[in-house]
Amino acid sequence: MSTLFDPITLGGLELPNRLFMAPMTRSRAYVGGQVDGLVAEYYAQRASAGLIITEGTQPSVRGQGYINTPGLHSAEQVEAWKRVTGAVHERGGRIFAQIMHTGRVGHPSLYPDGGLPVAPSPIASGQSLFDGSGMVEHPVPRELTYSDIAEALDDFVSAARNAITAGFDGVELHGANGYLIHQFLADGANQRTDEYGGNPQNRARFALQVIDAVADTIGAERTALRLSPGNPFNGITESDTEGQYLALLDGLNERSDLAFLHLAMASRETAELFRKEWQGTLVHNPAAGLDLAPAVSALEDGVVDAVALGSAWLANPDLLDRVRAGGPFNEPDSGTFYGGDHRGYTDYPALDQA
C-alpha cells in the first residue's frame, strides 16, 4: 500500500512524495506570453510537491486559446521560464511544463493575423472565451490539412525542446479538457473520413504521433500525457468513451516507458479501467477540491501511483505539511483564479503563519 508520502521514480527522476500539483491556468503572462518574477515565486512556494505540472503553455501562436497565457515558442518565453525552473530547483522541487495546443478553443482576436483557430473538423465548440472586454463565441475553426497537422506536430516538438532548454524536468502533453489532442479523440469534434478519423484507432492516431515525436526528441521518460475521458468541457461529445480510450490504450501500452499518464476530472471507475489496461505509471486528478479522500483511497488501494490536486495546492503553498498535520487548509478564492496580481496568487499564508 502506497501513501502520499512515499517516494516514487518517474524515468530517471526521483520524487520524494506522490502528492503532485496539477496544472491550473492562472492567466498572468501579460507581456508577449512571458512569465515573470511573480510566477517564479508562485511555483517556488509550492516546490514541496512531488512534482509540479505548470499551467497550460501554448506551443505556437495558433495554439493559444485564452488571453495572458504563457508560451514556449519564442526565445524570450524560454528565457523567462528559466527564472521559474531555477527558483523551483533551488528549493529542491521538480517541475514539468504542460504543453497545451487549444485547437478550436480560440478566437481571431488572439492571433496577430486575425486568422481562425484550427481543429480536426470545422465544428465550433459552442462555447465562449473572454477577450479582455467581454465574452465572444468560439468561431467555426479551420479544418487542419495534412501540412497543418505536420506543422502542429513540429510545434509540439519545438515546445518540448524549448521546455528542456528552459530547465524543465519534462513535459506533459495536454490531451484533455477539449483541447486539440482531445478534439482528435472525440467523434463529436472529429468527423474526418481520412486516416485521422472514422474509427477509434484513427482518431487516436494524432495523439500517438504527438507522443512519439516528443518522446523521440526529449526522451520518453520525460514525456507524459494528460487525458480526461468523458469530460464534456469545451463542448466535447463522445459517443463511445470506453471504446475510444481502449483503442488509445492499445497504442499507449506500446509506449509504457512514458513518464506517466495523468487522468484529469476522472472518476474512480475510470481510474480502475485504466489501471487494468495501462502498464505504466498512472496519476489521478479527481477534481475534488480540498477533499483528499477520493485520491488517497485510490492511491492506497493501488488503483493509481500518484495523485495530482489543483485548487488545494493553489490555496495552500505548503499543502504537504498541512496534510501531514491534518489541516487546517486555506479555502481557494475563485475570484482571483484568472488574472490579477499577487492577491490570491502568492499571498496565501503558510501553516506557520496561520
Side-chain angles (χ1 to χ4, degrees):
M1 182 179 74
S2 297
T3 74
L4 291 173
F5 308 107
D6 290 333
I8 185 173
T9 300
L10 299 181
L13 197 61
E14 302 290 335
L15 308 183
N17 63 74
R18 300 177 185 230
L19 183 56
F20 296 2
M21 177 176 165
M24 293 170 284
T25 294
R26 304 306 307 272
S27 297
R28 283 169 165 84
Y30 295 112
V31 180
Q34 299 170 44
V35 295
D36 59 16
L38 192 65
V39 178
E41 181 183 356
Y42 167 73
Y43 283 115
Q45 285 177 344
R46 291 152 178 82
S48 61
L51 178 69
I52 293 172
I53 308 167
T54 72
E55 60 211 275
T57 303
Q58 56 259 13
S60 64
V61 171
R62 195 72 68 200
Q64 183 173 359
Y66 304 95
I67 62 170
N68 301 325
T69 51
L72 260 172
H73 55 85
S74 76
E76 294 78 12
Q77 291 165 354
V78 173
E79 286 301 309
W81 277 114
K82 288 179 180 179
R83 186 171 182 179
V84 175
T85 59
V88 170
H89 289 149
E90 186 176 340
R91 297 200 189 180
R94 297 131 305 271
I95 184 168
F96 271 37
Q98 188 189 70
I99 302 177
M100 181 178 77
H101 191 308
T102 58
R104 70 180 185 178
V105 178
H107 192 270
S109 62
L110 295 171
Y111 316 127
D113 65 2
L116 289 169
V118 295
S121 300
I123 301 170
S125 73
Q127 308 298 305
S128 303
L129 62 81
F130 181 68
D131 69 353
S133 58
M135 301 301 292
V136 293
E137 291 185 0
H138 295 148
V140 175
R142 179 172 61 81
E143 181 173 289
L144 289 157
T145 65
Y146 287 146
S147 61
D148 292 329
I149 290 173
E151 182 178 346
L153 289 170
D154 288 342
D155 290 339
F156 275 104
V157 168
S158 178
R161 186 182 295 115
N162 286 342
I164 300 306
T165 300
F168 285 101
D169 298 298
V171 304
E172 177 182 91
L173 305 171
H174 200 339
N177 294 7
Y179 301 125
L180 184 61
I181 294 174
H182 197 178
Q183 290 161 29
F184 269 95
L185 291 169
D187 57 358
N190 178 0
Q191 296 184 8
R192 300 174 74 103
T193 56
D194 60 8
E195 61 265 40
Y196 288 97
N199 61 56
Q201 291 74 25
N202 283 355
R203 287 193 294 271
R205 188 181 305 275
F206 181 73
L208 296 175
Q209 287 181 335
V210 175
I211 290 166
D212 287 344
V214 170
D216 287 347
T217 301
I218 66 170
E221 75 282 358
R222 296 198 285 191
T223 304
L225 175 65
R226 193 183 206 213
L227 299 168
S228 58
N231 181 6
F233 193 62
N234 282 318
I236 286 293
T237 58
E238 300 167 347
S239 64
D240 180 12
T241 297
E242 182 172 332
Q244 179 60 60
Y245 283 89
L246 286 174
L248 176 62
L249 282 163
D250 282 342
L252 289 174
N253 271 324
E254 298 174 7
R255 300 157 174 87
S256 59
D257 54 349
L258 295 175
F260 56 87
L261 283 187
H262 180 183
L263 289 178
M265 310 287 288
S267 66
R268 168 72 176 253
E269 291 72 26
T270 299
E272 289 173 346
L273 172 65
F274 270 71
R275 179 77 291 163
K276 290 178 183 176
E277 302 294 333
W278 168 245
Q279 306 304 312
T281 299
L282 187 62
V283 179
H284 188 211
N285 174 205
L290 293 176
D291 181 9
L292 275 66
V296 169
S297 66
L299 177 65
E300 292 180 346
D301 292 344
V303 177
V304 300
D305 301 297
V307 301
L309 300 179
S311 58
W313 273 110
L314 182 155
N316 298 276
D318 55 351
L319 180 63
L320 193 71
D321 290 340
R322 290 175 181 268
V323 172
R324 279 199 179 99
F329 300 96
N330 299 321
E331 290 285 341
D333 174 15
S334 61
T336 57
F337 280 1
Y338 308 110
D341 51 23
H342 70 285
R343 289 168 291 186
Y345 192 56
T346 57
D347 65 344
Y348 284 104
L351 186 59
D352 59 4
Q353 300 170 303

